[in-house]
């Protein structure tokens, strides 16, 4: 019954998608879009049991985690049709997704995260998962911030998979023991640890010059300099006054200082290579989201054994988060039974625990079992559980603002980072100008994690 009804809805949807494709394509190509939609294959008689999943989990550990999901779905007779797009932080995947949707070829499930969920939901292309969420009583066990992230205009628009802590500092335990160093809790301590490492002939920090990785360091520095309230002022509310503030200036100055501890010319290595450099003992420390912990396991390295993990300097009380979510494209609704089954499965306690153990993150569930977590994960899950006051949504990982603002800020910070002559005041002026531009006629990005306003 439900399926027949959804097929009928599918007819209406195909016409609607034609209109939307025309709008997206602009330039009077409405006719072509209508033809394209008409050319879509008719809904099959029995619902397909495969789900194509577009994502950016392509490193060795990410692949393992995705394969686990595929295996668990196979047990439920759903085939995972893999569409992986390389590129850390989904830089490539976002572009491929847009192209595919424009071509009328949306995958059934996609790694769409943070504010991007609201952007896609507003176009009316995503499947509402309200029935699954209500039947499974998701509200009862999800952290409130997670609930907020997946909801848009009172509808559940995505399935949450795991929480990553972006403010994670990794340090080489053998080196630290040998030099009698303690993990730095502040950026001042970081400076003295870095000096000692360099004196011992070790590069203090492993860090790529790739734009998104530089901005990840920058958002860590802003958080350390100020705290979640100011952080949101800057990255969620896009306040020009916050851009001009001395705390932003200080974070920019610190970024230059930290660059000095990396050694050599900035390169654009993908993040798994940075992890391997750290694993080889060629750098004493690394600051990266906890997906790096999973990649270290691929190198045979474990927390509290080869490496230690702590919060990035100055952010011990805070949780800078990126939450992985899968959103479903409605299409002609023929895949809906498989998509809903998939959504149900992904939030179950067992799958959440197993997936996150492989992926490096922590479950989105308040009732997860901390005894099953390593010390790194336990600290992340416990800190996140303290609520909005200690949480900061990662700008780089789309939790704070829309894609256009994010791309512009990342480019601006990168420019400043690469050009040694650029002054913090100039970068601040440019950030302020960007914010003014983006805020024109758009008071705050849709779905942004402005947890203060939410309360
Ligand atoms: C995602 C992670 C992923 C990381 C590196 C983040 O945006 O949340 O799942 O491992 O990017 O690509």
């Amino acid at each position: 019954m439900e399926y027949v009804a959804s097929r009928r809805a599918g007819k209406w949807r195909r016409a609607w998608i034609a209109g939307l494709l025309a709008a997206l394509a602009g330039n009077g190509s409405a006719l072509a879009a209508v033809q394209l939609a008409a050319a879509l294959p008719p809904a099959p008689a029995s619902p397909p049991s495969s789900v194509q999943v577009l994502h950016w989990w392509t490193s060795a550990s990410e692949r393992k985690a995705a394969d686990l999901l595929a295996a668990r779905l196979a047990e439920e007779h759903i085939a995972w049709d893999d569409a992986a797009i390389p590129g850390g932080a989904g830089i490539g995947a976002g572009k491929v997704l847009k192209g595919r949707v424009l071509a009328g070829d949306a995958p059934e499930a996609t790694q769409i995260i943070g504010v991007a969920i609201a952007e896609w939901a507003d176009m009316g292309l995503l499947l509402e998962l309200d029935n699954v969420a209500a039947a499974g009583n998701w509200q009862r066990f999800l952290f409130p911030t997670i609930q907020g992230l997946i909801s848009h205009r009172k509808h559940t628009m995505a399935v949450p998979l795991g929480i990553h802590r972006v403010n994670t500092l990794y340090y080489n335990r053998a080196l630290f023991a040998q030099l009698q160093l303690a993990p730095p809790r502040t950026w001042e301590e970081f400076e003295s640890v870095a000096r000692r490492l360099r004196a011992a002939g070790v590069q203090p920090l492993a860090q790529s010059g790739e734009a998104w990785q530089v901005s990840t360091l920058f958002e860590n520095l802003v958080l350390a300099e100020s705290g979640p309230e100011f952080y949101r002022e800057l990255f969620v509310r896009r306040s020009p006054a916050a851009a001009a503030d001395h705390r932003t200036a200080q974070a920019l100055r610190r970024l230059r200082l930290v660059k000095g501890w990396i050694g050599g010319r900035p390169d654009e290595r993908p993040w798994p290579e940075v992890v391997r450099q750290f694993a080889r003992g060629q750098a004493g420390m690394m600051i990266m989201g906890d997906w790096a912990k999973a990649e270290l396991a691929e190198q045979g390295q474990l927390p509290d054994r080869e490496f230690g993990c702590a919060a990035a300097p100055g952010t011990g009380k805070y949780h800078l988060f990126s939450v992985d979510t899968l959103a479903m494209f409605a299409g002609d609704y023929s895949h809906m039974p498989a998509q809903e089954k998939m959504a149900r499965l992904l939030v179950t306690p067992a799958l959440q625990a197993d997936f996150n153990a492989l992926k490096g993150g922590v479950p989105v569930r308040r009732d997860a079992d901390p005894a099953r977590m390593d010390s790194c994960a336990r600290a992340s899950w416990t800190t996140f559980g303290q609520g909005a006051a200690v949480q900061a949504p990662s700008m780089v990982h789309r939790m704070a603002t829309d894609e256009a603002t994010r791309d512009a800020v990342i480019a601006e910070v990168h420019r400043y980072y690469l050009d040694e002559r650029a002054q913090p005041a100039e970068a601040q002026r440019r950030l302020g100008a960007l914010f003014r531009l983006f805020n024109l006629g758009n008071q705050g990005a849709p779905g942004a994690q402005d947890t203060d306003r939410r309360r």
Side-chain angles (χ1 to χ4, degrees), residues 168-333:
T168 306
L169 168 83
Y170 305 80
Y171 57 95
N172 180 314
R173 290 190 76 220
L175 270 172
F176 271 55
Q178 190 192 325
L179 299 172
Q180 297 186 328
L181 296 171
R185 282 162 307 180
T186 63
W187 282 100
E188 289 71 28
E189 287 182 11
F190 176 92
E191 291 286 320
S192 76
V193 168
R195 262 194 297 278
R196 299 268 307 278
L197 286 166
R198 184 164 280 171
V202 179
Q203 181 176 319
L205 187 69
Q207 167 76 40
S208 165
E210 200 184 0
W212 74 266
Q213 297 189 62
V214 171
S215 270
T216 301
L217 184 56
F218 177 63
E219 62 184 23
N220 266 285
L221 290 166
V222 169
L223 186 62
E225 221 33 75
S226 60
E229 178 49 37
F230 178 83
Y231 179 99
R232 285 193 205 103
E233 206 47 41
L234 187 69
F235 291 129
V236 177
R237 288 172 215 135
R238 302 182 295 200
S239 144
D245 192 276
H246 68 277
R247 288 165 282 190
T248 304
Q250 183 54 20
L252 286 162
R253 271 195 291 276
R254 181 72 72 187
L255 184 62
R256 229 353 109 56
L257 283 180
V258 179
K259 185 184 174 192
W261 295 115
I262 289 152
R265 287 161 58 80
D267 54 52
E268 305 247 327
R269 278 169 307 158
W271 70 267
E273 279 186 35
V274 181
V275 171
R276 283 193 287 276
Q277 180 198 10
F278 172 78
R280 285 193 297 265
Q282 289 168 344
M285 297 180 280
M286 173 173 77
I287 291 172
M288 203 184 284
D290 49 13
W291 49 84
K293 185 184 68 177
E295 202 65 15
L296 281 165
E298 290 296 308
Q299 305 292 315
Q301 305 215 340
L302 295 178
D304 302 326
R305 210 177 69 182
E306 284 78 16
F307 66 92
C309 63
T315 68
K317 293 192 297 237
Y318 311 136
H319 197 295
L320 181 58
F321 65 87
S322 172
V323 176
D324 277 321
T325 41
L326 287 181
M328 314 282 182
F329 278 90
D332 60 7
Y333 288 98

Side-chain angles (χ1 to χ4, degrees), residues 153-175:
R153 302 195 197 285
K154 300 209 169 78
H155 294 290
T156 302
M157 304 308 303
V159 194
L161 278 167
I163 305 165
H164 281 301
R165 191 175 196 183
V166 181
N167 57 323
T168 306
L169 168 83
Y170 305 80
Y171 57 95
N172 180 314
R173 290 190 76 220
L175 270 172

Side-chain angles (χ1 to χ4, degrees), residues 14 59 73 201 229 259 305 339 384 455:
R14 287 151 76 83
S59 79
L73 281 167
E229 178 49 37
K259 185 184 174 192
R305 210 177 69 182
Q339 288 166 314
F384 191 87
R455 269 180 296 170

